[in-house]
Amino acid sequence: MSQFEPIVPATAGANTETIESVYSAELANSAHRLHDAMVNLIATQCTSRGATVLSDPFTVDLLVQFRAKEFIVEVKSVTSRNYIPRLRYAIGQLFHYDYLRSLASEIPRRCVLGVTGQVPPESWTVHFVTNHLDFDLLSLQDRALQVRSNDVDANALFGPKAP
């Protein structure tokens, strides 16, 4: 597995709490920017909660260390036309990265699937990802990160900040 390096979120004080998830022709031509913005949003939020965030451009989007767990995060840019193929691709990547990471670390891990769009609460995806696969699901809702997880640490890391 490649060498992970700590990443530093966008400049301190910059408005990195939300990103826009409106689809347009311009956005379709620049899906990589939305992907990178969501990865940065996740990294910034995790860092603000005391997690260590690592990146390796040759494998997983983010490896996050928090509360004696590792979270393997893979984000996919999606549209209504490519949603299922991109979901399948991400799941395969997460299983692969999880296996590779198991060879390097005995720390408990969670797989986290992020999609750059809204996932309605009634979507089959929520149950499939969180219950059937026992992964965590991140999406965008009202220009902010939405977490769906059965894991208390994942909810503390990715969910809304407690008052």
Side-chain angles (χ1 to χ4, degrees):
M1 186 167 220
S2 300
Q3 180 67 34
F4 283 94
E5 298 177 7
I7 65 168
V8 179
T11 56
N15 183 9
T16 56
E17 295 297 315
T18 62
I19 52 181
E20 197 72 47
S21 65
V22 177
Y23 287 98
S24 66
E26 190 273 328
L27 183 58
N29 293 329
S30 61
H32 66 278
R33 283 189 272 161
L34 184 56
H35 170 275
D36 292 348
M38 186 167 178
V39 169
N40 189 53
L41 173 66
I42 294 166
T44 300
Q45 181 164 317
C46 291
T47 302
S48 76
R49 298 198 180 164
T52 300
V53 181
L54 306 167
S55 175
D56 177 0
F58 302 107
T59 59
V60 65
D61 284 321
L62 297 171
L63 177 67
V64 179
Q65 297 168 338
F66 181 72
R67 292 186 181 170
K69 280 185 188 168
E70 291 182 338
F71 295 84
I72 300 170
V73 181
E74 182 62 32
V75 174
K76 290 294 176 221
S77 298
V78 296
T79 65
S80 59
R81 297 187 83 178
N82 71 7
Y83 184 73
I84 291 177
R86 300 290 288 164
L87 190 70
R88 289 177 180 161
Y89 183 48
I91 291 166
Q93 286 179 289
L94 284 165
F95 276 124
H96 182 222
Y97 300 150
D98 185 45
Y99 168 73
L100 293 175
R101 194 67 191 143
S102 74
L103 301 175
S105 172
E106 294 183 16
I107 296 172
R109 278 174 311 287
R110 299 231 8 117
C111 292
V112 182
L113 173 60
V115 294
T116 60
Q118 294 183 17
V119 178
E122 66 278 0
S123 171
W124 64 270
T125 307
V126 175
H127 184 269
F128 175 67
V129 172
T130 61
N131 294 331
H132 185 74
L133 295 176
D134 194 29
F135 286 6
D136 306 315
L137 178 63
L138 301 179
S139 59
L140 297 175
Q141 180 68 40
D142 298 325
R143 300 174 5 193
L145 200 57
Q146 171 79 44
V147 62
R148 294 187 177 96
S149 175
N150 296 321
D151 183 77
V152 67
D153 293 328
N155 282 303
L157 181 61
F158 303 112
K161 192 164 191 157

